[in-house]
C-alpha cells in the first residue's frame, strides 16, 4: 500500500508513521528526516536546505522532488511505503503522480493551539528519527531506540513554529481538496491519544492491527 500522511507540523505524522510502518512492515519516507540527516552530514543538499528549514519555509520543489523520486525507486519501497511530509505543495503532488501511484491519503487533523504545545515540548533523535515529548521523558536525554542524544529541533522554537503553521495553511492545506477530489482522502482526528489515533488510522486504511 502506498500511503501519504498529510497534516500540519506537530500533527503526529512522524510518530504515527513509525508505528504504522512497523505494523505493515513498509518503510517510512520522511522528507524532514532525510533533510535533517543531510544537514547533520553537511552534504550539498543539507547546505541548500538549512536556511529554508531554519526559517520555517519550504525547501524548493525541485530539490525535494528529486530526493523522493530517487528514494521511491529503491528496492525496499516496492511493496509499499508511507510518505511523511511529502507532497507539501500542489506542484509536488503533480510531480509525484508521474512516478508513483498512491492508494490512500491520511489527513491528521489537529487544532493549531495543540500543535504549538506539542512542538515546543518535542525532542528528537537525529540518528534514527524517533520522536518524544518532554512530558513523557522523565528527564531522559538519550533515545530509547538507539541510545543517541535527544535534541530540540532548531525549527521548534516558538517563532519558527508559527511560520511553519502559516506555510502549512497557505501552501500545503490545498492538497486536502486535491486528494479529496480524487477520492483518496481519509480524515483522522489526530488530537486523540497515541493509541486511539493509531487505531483510527489502521481502520481508515482497512488494515488489521
Ligand atoms: P518535517 O520534519 O516534515 O516537519 P513538519 O511537517 O513541520 O512536521 P513535524 O515533524 O514537525 O510534525 P509531525 O506531524 O511529524 O509530528 P510528530 O509526530 O513529530 O519538515 C521540516 C522542514 O523540512 C519543513 O519545515 C521544510 O522546511 C522541510 N521540508 C520537509 N519536507 C518538505 C517538502 N516536501 N517540501 C519542502 N520542504 C520540506 O509529533 C509532534 C509532537 O507531538 C511530538 O513531541 C510527539 O511526541 C507529540 N505527539 C504526537 N502525537 C501525539 C498525540 N496523539 N497526543 C499527544 N502528543 C502527541
Ligand atoms: Mg515529522
Amino acid at each position: 500500500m502506498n500511503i501519504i500522511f498529510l497534516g500540519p507540523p506537530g500533527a503526529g505524522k512522524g510518530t504515527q508513521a513509525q508505528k504504522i510502518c512497523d505494523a505493515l512492515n513498509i518503510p517510512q519516507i520522511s522528507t524532514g528526516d532525510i533533510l535533517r540527516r543531510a544537514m547533520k552530514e553537511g552534504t550539498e543538499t543539507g547546505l541548500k536546505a538549512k536556511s529554508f528549514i531554519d526559517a520555517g519555509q519550504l525547501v524548493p520543489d525541485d530539490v525535494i522532488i528529486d530526493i523522493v523520486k530517487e528514494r521511491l525507486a529503491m528496492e525496499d519501497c516496492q511493496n509499499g511505503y508511507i510518505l511523511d511530509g511529502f507532497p507539501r505543495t500542489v506542484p509536488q503532488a503533480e510531480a509525484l503522480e508521474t512516478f508513483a501511484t498512491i492508494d490512500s491519503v491520511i489527513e491528521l487533523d489537529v487544532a493549531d493551539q495543540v500543535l504549538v504545545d506539542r512542538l515546543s515540548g518535542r525532542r528528537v533523535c537525529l540518528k534514527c528519527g524517533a520522536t518524544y515529548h518532554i512530558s513523557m521523558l522523565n528527564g531522559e536525554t538519550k533515545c530509547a531506540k538507539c541510545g543517541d542524544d535527544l535534541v530540540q529541533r532548531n525549527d521548534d522554537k516558538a517563532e519558527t513554529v508559527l511560520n511553519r503553521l502559516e506555510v502549512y495553511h497557505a501552501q500545503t492545506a490545498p492538497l486536502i481538496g486535491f486528494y479529496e477530489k480524487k477520492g483518496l482522502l481519509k480524515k483522522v482526528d489526530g488530537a486523540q491519544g497515541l493509541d486511539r489515533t493509531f487505531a483510527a488510522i489502521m481502520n481508515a486504511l482497512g488494515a488489521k492491527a
Side-chain angles (χ1 to χ4, degrees):
M1 205 167 358
N2 300 338
I3 304 163
I4 291 173
F5 272 20
L6 194 62
K13 301 183 295 297
T15 304
Q16 293 296 339
Q18 287 208 341
K19 287 161 71 82
I20 303 282
C21 283
D22 284 350
L24 302 182
N25 200 20
I26 53 175
Q28 170 197 12
I29 318 294
S30 160
T31 43
D33 286 352
I34 292 171
L35 293 170
R36 278 184 291 280
R37 233 168 279 140
M39 291 196 299
K40 196 178 178 195
E41 288 162 9
T43 66
E44 200 185 317
T45 303
L47 293 174
K48 243 189 248 175
K50 188 172 171 21
S51 58
F52 294 100
I53 293 183
D54 286 351
Q57 299 297 324
L58 295 182
V59 171
D61 286 340
D62 56 338
V63 175
I64 205 81
I65 289 167
D66 284 349
I67 291 174
V68 174
K69 189 173 180 184
E70 224 170 85
R71 182 65 188 86
L72 295 190
M74 289 182 187
E75 187 63 34
D76 64 332
C77 291
Q78 303 320 306
N79 292 322
Y81 46 78
I82 293 182
L83 283 170
D84 159 13
F86 181 94
R88 248 178 162 95
T89 62
V90 172
Q92 289 181 18
E94 288 169 345
L96 180 65
E97 289 185 328
T98 68
F99 58 84
T101 304
I102 297 302
D103 302 301
S104 277
V105 178
I106 299 290
E107 181 208 347
L108 278 176
D109 183 38
V110 181
D112 282 8
Q113 317 77 282
V114 178
L115 299 172
V116 174
D117 172 60
R118 283 188 184 179
L119 292 174
S120 55
R122 174 167 60 184
R123 296 296 178 270
V124 296
C125 172
L126 292 179
K127 194 171 171 197
C128 76
T131 298
Y132 305 85
H133 193 272
I134 39 169
S135 60
M136 304 175 205
L137 281 171
N138 293 322
E140 182 54 69
T141 58
K142 302 282 181 194
C143 176
K145 288 196 178 153
C146 75
D148 214 38
D149 290 335
L150 296 179
V151 296
Q152 179 168 38
R153 279 171 40 177
N154 265 346
D155 61 346
D156 278 348
K157 292 184 187 117
E159 195 187 291
T160 317
V161 165
L162 296 178
N163 275 347
R164 286 163 59 205
L165 282 172
E166 261 179 46
V167 167
Y168 174 78
H169 290 299
Q171 299 191 52
T172 307
L175 291 179
I176 296 170
F178 181 94
Y179 285 116
E180 211 162 25
K181 274 194 209 129
K182 294 179 187 288
L184 294 176
L185 193 84
K186 288 156 185 137
K187 192 181 187 121
V188 169
D189 176 6
Q192 318 172 67
L194 291 180
D195 293 342
R196 287 182 65 179
T197 305
F198 172 77
I201 296 171
M202 290 293 273
N203 188 35
L205 292 171
K208 290 207 172 71

